[in-house]
Amino acid sequence: MHSSNLKKYRDILEKKKEELLAATPARTPATEPGSKSGDWIDQSSQENDLHVRLALKQTDSKLLRAIEEAIHRIDQGTYGICMDCENEIAPARLEAVPWTRVCINCKEKQQS
Ligand SMILES: [Zn+2]
């Protein structure tokens, strides 16, 4: 792949990575000591909220890892090559999903 294209994808990936990191709080606020509510209904709704946030975080960290791997592949010179069939990934697919590891054919095979 041409190096100016690589730079473009790298910029997109770096930007997306920054967005994800900005959306992820650096640390979860600690539960204040002594604020424990005796109301079990209140407590269970807090737990539900926590589950939602954990689920979101897992998706984000998965995406973050995919982005980091893609940036690594740019450094290695293997970016844009399908990890399954080793064919080049179509530019349109890279535009849509810059952190993808496989071409559309292999992706469809995985899904079927
Ligand atoms: Zn493939």
Side-chain angles (χ1 to χ4, degrees), residues 49-66:
D49 185 46
L50 187 69
H51 282 307
V52 171
R53 270 186 287 162
L54 279 177
L56 276 175
K57 254 186 142 170
Q58 273 174 0
T59 315
D60 278 359
S61 65
K62 223 173 151 184
L63 182 57
L64 197 61
R65 201 157 55 216

Side-chain angles (χ1 to χ4, degrees), residues 60-108:
D60 278 359
S61 65
K62 223 173 151 184
L63 182 57
L64 197 61
R65 201 157 55 216
I67 291 170
E68 278 172 347
E69 281 175 13
I71 293 171
H72 184 68
R73 285 198 299 278
I74 292 175
D75 291 337
Q76 300 287 301
T78 56
Y79 182 76
I81 296 169
C82 174
M83 290 182 94
D84 272 2
C85 67
E86 294 182 356
N87 284 323
E88 279 189 27
I89 300 171
R93 175 157 169 77
L94 287 176
E95 295 276 350
V97 196
W99 47 87
T100 189
R101 317 162 161 191
V102 292
C103 70
I104 191 73
N105 290 334
C106 293
K107 183 74 187 174
E108 277 170 3

